[in-house]
Amino acid sequence: MPDFSFYKLEIFIPESHLSALQSALQSVDAGHIGNYDSCLSYSRVTGCWRPLAGSRPYIGTENEICMADELKVEVTCREAKIDRTIEVIKMVHPYEEPVINVIPLFRTGI
C-alpha cells in the first residue's frame, strides 16, 4: 500500500498576506522538513475570476472578468496535520473561499 504520509498544499494568496501565512503555517508545524521548519516556496502568478451576485470579492467588480497578481505558495504537511493547517490558513486568508489544493506525495524519502 502506498505511503502518503506527506501532502503538498498549494495556496493562492496576495503577496501582502505572505508574512501572516508564514506565521500561521509555522504555528502548526507545516513546512517542517528534517532539521528545518518554515520551509515553503512561492511563485508570482496572475489570478483571474468573475465575481457573481452575492459574492464578497477580495478585489474586483461583480460580473466582470478580473485579474490580479498573487502568490502560489507551496508547503509540505504531514497527513495528521492537514485539517488544522487548513483551519489556520483560512484564519489569515483574505479571500471569501481560499484556493487550497491538497496533493498527496508518494515516497518523499527517495
Side-chain angles (χ1 to χ4, degrees), residues 79-99:
E79 179 181 28
K81 297 181 180 187
I82 293 255
D83 291 335
R84 183 67 183 129
T85 301
I86 291 172
E87 285 175 23
V88 299
I89 292 168
K90 287 182 174 183
M91 290 169 52
V92 300
H93 208 292
Y95 296 171
E96 179 180 12
E97 192 64 42
V99 176

Side-chain angles (χ1 to χ4, degrees), residues 28-44:
V28 292
D29 204 31
H32 190 135
I33 302 171
N35 289 321
Y36 298 89
D37 73 353
S38 301
C39 299
L40 59 79
S41 63
Y42 64 87
S43 54
R44 288 175 171 74

Side-chain angles (χ1 to χ4, degrees), residues 58-72:
Y58 173 71
I59 188 173
T61 302
E62 185 178 305
N63 245 354
E64 290 183 16
I65 298 294
C66 305
M67 297 171 65
D69 294 333
E70 59 185 358
L71 299 178
K72 175 183 168 186

